[in-house]
Amino acid sequence: MNAGCLTIKELTEAVGGGLTPRMVRHYHQLGLLPQPVRSPSNYRLYTQKDVVRLQRIVALKQQGFQLNHIRHILDVEPEADTNQNLMLQLQQQYRAVIQQISQLRQTASALEGLLGRDRHCQIIQAEVLAQLKLLDVETQAGLGGLAKLWSGLDAQIHTHSEAFSESLQRLLPDLSERSEIERHLISQLVLACGDVSLVSFVKLSRDAIAASRKALSDSCQIVVDTQTVAAALDRTRLSHLGCRVETLIDNPHITTATEAELAFWQHQEWRQKLQQVTPGCVLVVGYAPSVLLEISLAISQTDYTNPKIQPALVIAMPIGFSHAPAAKRQLMQQPIPYITVEGTLGGGALAATALNALVESLIDKPDCHCYLSQSIGI
């Protein structure tokens, strides 16, 4: 055996990340990994160069890239024109993925149309399922029959209000290992956007629920990035908890993610305002990725002798296609309790919903509007 070379088992151990010899052989077949030299006993022998390439493959795969994307990325030469060709290829592949997602979304919608029915619709739901088996889709009359089936099912929506919780029970994945408060939080987030797949992207630090409950019970300061987020908060419950709401970008004309992002970059006073938030506050970001980046930077610079900011919890759901995912990843590396939605998903409605769900777990909603008589910073 050549000195310094690794067997396939030693290679997988060196790379880690759950890699197996079977996966390595599969990567050889796909052309992701060049065929290795063989020992006199016909064992595959790998070099440090193979270790580095496999580490890159594993890392890119964990980030969500498909294997055919990874092959293009690793094999491209550094010349500018080649990089441009790679970007065009990846753009085409991205569009193909989006088309697949769209098709799956249509399938999901059809299933939700059946599974999401409450008990009031179950009788006609069973009838529809029975008739779907017998449907003749080869004729125009058969297609008309399909439309008639859906019309009959949809007609039931005029007889009663929608039972959201009942529908969700049939659609949500198994959340039995989550706490009751986490299950409620996730359910409310799904209802806020109408997309059950959001469940896979919701991330909570281990201590997020406990930290939020303590902070809110202690009448903590709530700091939101825009007035749009502030307007969606459960002001009645927050008022009874004694939690004061402050808006970071306190310009009533700023209502979109684009405006919030640009404004935060252009106005130093809002960055300074962020540095002055009360220790133990809850920070809620629903629009501007730069606000979350600034929060993570301030937290990372914190030490025991010179603290920058010390929030009890960060609810991080900014919108964006490059900065927002990066800002969320940076937050999840900080030693601060957090609730976030991975990737590009987010928005003010989701951010406000997350806080409202936490508040709802602490106090029943009083039948009053006492907050209207208070001066609250929005």
Side-chain angles (χ1 to χ4, degrees):
M1 188 172 294
N2 294 357
C5 290
L6 304 175
T7 64
I8 193 168
K9 182 178 180 181
E10 292 170 336
L11 174 71
T12 57
E13 292 173 350
V15 173
L19 191 69
T20 65
R22 181 178 180 180
M23 293 167 66
V24 173
R25 289 190 288 268
H26 182 56
Y27 293 159
H28 284 311
Q29 293 174 352
L30 295 177
L32 268 170
L33 193 66
Q35 291 292 338
V37 298
R38 297 274 184 166
S39 70
S41 303
N42 204 33
Y43 285 103
R44 292 181 173 91
L45 298 179
Y46 297 92
T47 65
Q48 187 59 36
K49 185 177 179 180
D50 295 316
V51 173
V52 172
R53 186 174 178 91
L54 265 176
Q55 287 173 333
R56 291 172 179 165
I57 293 171
V58 171
L60 289 169
K61 188 178 178 184
Q62 290 174 344
Q63 287 297 311
F65 287 97
Q66 295 183 7
L67 294 179
N68 58 330
H69 303 161
I70 294 173
R71 182 173 63 250
H72 287 303
I73 291 171
L74 294 184
D75 291 345
V76 69
E77 297 297 329
E79 288 79 6
D81 58 338
T82 309
N83 276 328
Q84 182 64 28
N85 291 334
L86 172 62
M87 294 304 294
L88 291 173
Q89 291 176 1
L90 293 179
Q91 189 176 47
Q92 292 173 351
Q93 292 170 355
Y94 171 76
R95 289 170 178 166
V97 169
I98 292 298
Q99 186 175 3
Q100 292 173 353
I101 292 174
S102 177
Q103 293 170 345
L104 289 172
R105 180 66 260 177
Q106 290 178 335
T107 301
S109 295
L111 291 170
E112 288 163 355
L114 289 172
L115 298 174
R117 304 286 171 165
D118 54 36
R119 63 183 179 278
H120 297 284
C121 298
Q122 286 181 355
I123 295 177
I124 193 168
Q125 178 191 55
E127 180 183 339
V128 169
L129 286 171
Q131 293 188 42
L132 282 175
K133 299 177 182 178
L134 306 175
L135 192 65
D136 180 9
V137 297
E138 297 296 329
T139 66
Q140 192 64 35
L143 294 176
L146 178 60
K148 186 176 180 180
L149 286 177
W150 283 112
S151 295
L153 190 55
D154 290 342
Q156 297 298 308
I157 66 175
H158 299 287
T159 64
H160 61 281
S161 60
E162 183 162 352
F164 291 112
S165 298
E166 191 176 332
S167 297
L168 276 177
Q169 289 177 1
R170 295 185 178 87
L171 299 174
L172 287 174
D174 182 15
L175 300 175
S176 58
E177 294 185 359
R178 305 262 194 166
S179 70
E180 182 179 352
I181 296 176
E182 283 186 69
R183 293 198 298 271
H184 175 67
L185 169 67
I186 292 172
S187 296
Q188 293 304 107
L189 289 173
V190 169
L191 283 175
C193 67
D195 187 353
V196 179
S197 69
L198 182 77
V199 174
S200 302
F201 299 95
V202 177
K203 303 297 178 184
L204 293 81
S205 62
R206 181 177 301 178
D207 50 352
I209 298 298
S212 68
R213 291 175 66 82
K214 183 179 186 309
L216 292 167
S217 298
D218 291 342
S219 304
C220 67
Q221 180 192 37
I222 309 294
V223 181
V224 301
D225 58 343
T226 68
Q227 292 195 11
T228 305
V229 177
L233 296 180
D234 188 339
R235 307 303 295 277
T236 303
R237 284 191 174 94
L238 288 173
S239 177
H240 277 262
L241 288 170
C243 297
R244 179 178 176 82
V245 179
E246 298 285 348
T247 305
L248 188 63
I249 305 174
D250 54 358
N251 183 337
H253 299 291
I254 295 174
T255 58
T256 68
T258 301
E259 293 170 342
E261 179 74 354
L262 185 60
F264 190 74
W265 271 101
Q266 292 179 339
H267 295 83
Q268 184 63 29
E269 65 266 26
W270 290 328
R271 293 173 178 267
Q272 294 172 349
K273 186 177 180 180
L274 179 60
Q275 300 286 342
Q276 298 167 0
V277 297
T278 304
C281 68
V282 173
L283 297 174
V284 184
V285 183
Y287 283 99
S290 291
V291 173
L292 183 55
L293 287 170
E294 192 73 15
I295 289 171
S296 294
L297 180 61
I299 293 172
S300 66
Q301 293 175 344
T302 298
D303 58 43
Y304 292 107
T305 60
N306 183 31
K308 291 286 186 182
I309 64 172
Q310 295 177 306
L313 172 73
V314 180
I315 297 177
M317 301 184 186
I319 298 173
F321 299 98
S322 60
H323 287 47
K328 294 170 184 176
R329 286 193 293 267
Q330 288 188 18
L331 173 68
M332 289 188 283
Q333 296 171 1
Q334 306 302 329
I336 291 290
Y338 63 81
I339 300 173
T340 190
V341 176
E342 281 186 314
T344 63
L345 301 173
L350 287 179
T353 296
L355 181 63
N356 289 344
L358 296 172
V359 173
E360 186 179 347
S361 71
L362 283 171
I363 181 175
D364 291 333
K365 195 163 194 172
D367 187 16
C368 70
H369 296 87
C370 57
Y371 71 90
L372 294 175
S373 62
Q374 299 179 8
S375 175
I376 302 181
I378 64 171

